[in-house]
Amino acid sequence: MDNKLRIAVLVSGGGTNLQAIIDKIADGTVTNTEIVGVISNNPGVYSLTRAANAGIPAYVISPKDYASREEFNVALKEKIDELRVDLVVLAGCLVKIPEILIDAYPNKIINIHPALIPSFCGLGYYGLKVHEAALERGVKLSGATVHFVNKDLDEGPIILQKAVAVEDGDTPKILQQRIMEQAEWKILPEAIDLIANDRIEVVEGKVRFKK
Ligand code: GRF
């Protein structure tokens, strides 16, 4: 009986986090998991090429293609329902996740944020802006966080974090790349593997490893 964790990966751009998941399923680092779909809110992004190269069904579901935000929200949820998804993975996804999806998938949506939450997160902190703020503040450590998604932006229960040193002379681009390489591409697949193998649970709003 194939009881693999069925994941849909939501993307908006280049898809390096998606690629890390694809590669770690292929090399056996991530077990018991199947990517049943990639959903992008943007057409023509390299994430879609990565999905095609891996033989994974890909869909473009963009707010621009719907008469209202509500219709987009419904279409996104319907696609995820249709794919019989167990876990929604936001990997470089910049679209606002609809409350109807969050309500339907409690603690079944995870996100990678390129900072150590609660630092440099929330409204306006995405992509390079996160790293600009970290460098502006002069932190010596930044990193990445994987967390469950709830209705409060970047506030859901934290699953994994990994710290990365900020080095003299770092630009936002250099810091972003180091955090992706040393943190994001490691902890997002690791979080998926933990969930796929039923290793964690959420108790009173906090993630803990099962005994
Ligand atoms: C990266 O800055 C990542 O930290 C954030 O989205 C951006 C693009 O990620 N989550 P990807 O290359 O599309 O996975």
Side-chain angles (χ1 to χ4, degrees):
M1 167 66 167
D2 178 3
N3 61 353
K4 288 184 177 179
L5 185 79
R6 296 170 62 88
I7 72 171
V9 184
L10 273 54
V11 297
S12 296
T16 63
N17 279 285
L18 166 65
Q19 193 65 55
I21 299 165
I22 292 168
D23 293 347
K24 295 211 169 185
I25 290 173
D27 73 13
T29 307
V30 173
T31 61
N32 204 24
T33 300
E34 177 186 5
I35 305 174
V36 295
V38 170
I39 302 173
S40 175
N41 63 302
N42 289 319
V45 292
Y46 198 63
S47 289
L48 297 171
T49 304
R50 295 183 193 275
N53 291 342
I56 299 168
Y59 311 88
V60 176
I61 302 179
S62 167
K64 301 187 184 85
D65 297 335
Y66 294 88
S68 71
R69 190 71 195 211
E70 288 65 34
E71 287 176 51
F72 162 77
N73 291 346
V74 167
L76 180 61
K77 179 178 179 299
E78 283 179 348
K79 176 55 72 176
I80 288 168
D81 292 346
E82 175 195 309
L83 292 168
R84 292 187 295 111
V85 170
D86 300 311
L87 181 72
V88 178
V89 179
L90 310 184
C93 176
L94 296 178
V95 80
K96 181 169 171 17
I97 301 304
E99 290 200 1
I100 56 168
L101 190 65
I102 295 169
D103 287 340
Y105 291 81
N107 290 331
K108 293 182 184 302
I109 306 172
I110 64 173
N111 180 50
I112 177 82
H113 182 74
L116 297 175
I117 289 175
S119 295
F120 314 116
C121 66
L123 197 59
Y125 287 101
Y126 58 89
L128 279 179
K129 293 175 186 291
V130 173
H131 309 294
E132 287 164 4
L135 292 172
E136 176 60 28
R137 182 63 187 80
V139 295
K140 299 307 176 187
L141 283 177
S142 189
T145 303
V146 183
H147 63 95
F148 285 111
V149 172
N150 64 17
K151 293 178 185 174
D152 302 316
L153 188 59
D154 295 337
E155 299 271 335
I158 292 172
I159 302 168
L160 291 173
Q161 294 189 297
K162 187 167 178 54
V164 174
V166 180
E167 294 175 9
D168 291 351
D170 273 351
T171 63
K173 273 308 260 180
I174 291 171
L175 181 56
Q176 177 183 54
Q177 188 64 29
R178 186 180 310 121
I179 288 173
M180 286 200 280
E181 289 172 1
Q182 295 185 10
E184 296 180 41
W185 300 344
K186 295 180 187 297
I187 64 174
L188 185 55
E190 184 181 347
I192 293 167
D193 188 63
L194 288 173
I195 294 166
N197 292 287
D198 195 27
R199 295 275 311 286
I200 58 172
E201 60 189 344
V202 179
V203 177
E204 294 172 2
K206 304 278 189 305
V207 173
R208 68 180 192 189
F209 282 80
K210 288 187 174 182
K211 300 273 185 291

